[in-house]
Amino acid sequence: MEHNTRAAFIRQMLKDERSIEPSPEFSYKAHLKSRQDYDELYRRSLTDPDAFWGDMAERHLDWYRSWDAVEEYDFDAPRPFVRYFRGGQLNASYNCIDRHLDGPRRNKAALIWQGEPSEEVEVFTYQRLHREVCKAANVLKSLGVQRGDRVVLYLPMIPQLAIAMLACARIGAVHCVVFSGLSAEALKDRIDDSGARVVVTANFGYRSGKILRIKGVCDQALAECPQVKTCLVVRRIEKRTTMEPERDVWWDDLTATASPACEPERMEANEPLFVLYTSGSTAKPKGIVHGTGGYLLYATLTMKYVFDLKETDIHWCTADAGWITGHSYIVYGPLASGATSLMFEGVPNYPKPDRFWEVVEKFGVNLLYTAPTVVRSLMREGERWTCTHDLSSLRLLGSVGEPITAKAWLWYYSAIGQGRCPVADTWWQTETGGVMITTLPGAVDMKPGSAALPFFGVEPKVVRSDGTPAALGEPGSLVVTRPWPGMMQGVHGNEQAFKDVYFPTPGRYVTGDGAYCDEDGYFWITGRIDDVINVSGHRLGTAEIESALVSCAEVAEAAVVGCPHPVKGEGIYAYVTLHEGVVVSDELRIQLASHVREVIGPIARPDVVHFAKALPKTRSGKIMRRILRKIAAHQTEDLCDISTLSEPSVVADLIRENERLS
Ligand code: 6R9
């Protein structure tokens, strides 16, 4: 589609608000070919979940021992729980690797790694991956790691991250991947909370042409974690690295002599596969625990149906493996399916804004799964970056991480997909393990901006604050009324949080997102309704940022809210009151923003630091965030009811300062 035709198409579509049918060519070859196919399976998944999941688990995974019960749960109990395939035994690494070695997949590329430097490419066939994972597993064992032990992986997007995850899975250890962009303090908190004694890291990493001191950050964290006895260091870049002789060992040295054979542990289906930390409405990030059997089945099935995965596809999920999207759709989903997964170390706009399209062309990528923030930023760069590349290999486009506007959706569909590829918007969370709401490609019509319909077994509902069902089109809180196999099993070391955060009212899992449902049963996600902000698809708890701010001596009180941002989706807007006598200055503004960056990581750096004389509070002393959000978004005409404010003049001051800042 030429630029002008496309611009007209987008304008027209935005006006018409029409839905788009999948192309007949796509549907003809898809796993699900029609709405009827979807309806049928969806109905079966709800009417007889035991038969449905049992059948799927037999067909899609290899088990050492079958299960005694398929689905058991209680959302109402004082200690809610969920279990799948009780008594069943399997190993995730066996399912991701070994079982593909007997047939033609043996020499198929499992993982293709593209480093940030264009010339750095590595291909791991299933056979090679098996060897590398076994060696790493034996190394972990030699360091004393046992079944059930947690291992923290603080690694950039290099193959050793996937290898280390699978090595943990192989020996029954629980990996806790910490995104390598997080700070030393954030890493330290996670190491402490996880109880890990072994940490795996890399000496350096690349980002946008710069060298990151990953080991340096890790050292800083480990200085305060005396319980960590060993740090295994991957040599990502040949460069002088300080090693702590008592603690640090090189990955290369140990794997070089390790045996390439390691028998996988037989894990009960509900033994934990991993813990992944995520932000919530509390200051402390929560370690989300996922089990083995249910999670792996859910990742595998969603991989197949949501991405319409075919044997010959090259699947590229552009997320970092340090987040759930990478866990499920770079590592576990694709590999358990015997697919080829592309792992990319770089960023979309370095060295030029066509890096993604260059990678798509270079490897002939078929399935591309990325985030709206990437789509928006590349849309801004204009089409001169896309039109010079051959994107004809693309078959399907996916989106995840935050709501995608109809405009960005239509650009993605028409400029990248050339109107040929279905776009699967996929709504889900760290807690849900895999995709929950999506347009099953090929089967159902797409509505730009809507995440569409529930995946098999998922029963979402929109409810009002009193718990009653919302009417069609009425926004409310998105809840899920029954379990699904990818569902989290708990919060690491904090049983109470599992109940308090996710089951505040009995009987339903609360997502923290707002949504409404239209007359066709399509879900439209409106964003978080709790104290979480979504910056470029990264979840940040406002409480976490506030606690970083108040840890500065100058700060008396802080309130952080999200504000609209053209590229990041949401930006971070921090209201700060200072102690008596502290002088307001731009230096202090920068100092506070940098402090948050230090404490949490670069993604958490506030976009705006607003010094306020006072914050708007209710008479009972609660900060009125609703008002702060409106001021940050310049929506001051409709501040609604401020009658409960203890000091109404505070608001006028805030509005004045906000206008000055913008
Ligand atoms: C997979 C992932 C989860 C939060 C979630 C929601 C937002 C994710 C979305 C979306 C609208 C989509 N979110 N996908 N909102 N449409 N397609 O991103 O997990 O990092 O835990 O974030 O992201 O607000 O609650 P996680």
Side-chain angles (χ1 to χ4, degrees), residues 278 324-325 399-403 425-431 513 525 528 534 539:
T278 190
I324 190 69
T325 307
S399 171
V400 62
E402 49 178 323
D425 182 7
T426 62
W427 175 86
W428 59 293
Q429 312 176 294
T430 304
E431 293 86 342
D513 277 307
I525 313 293
R528 298 292 301 200
N534 191 326
R539 262 167 84 168

Side-chain angles (χ1 to χ4, degrees), residues 188 191 216-228 244 247:
K188 176 202 169 282
I191 295 173
V217 178
C218 190
D219 283 344
Q220 229 178 309
L222 291 181
E224 289 173 59
C225 299
Q227 75 279 18
V228 173
E244 186 73 46
R247 188 194 66 198

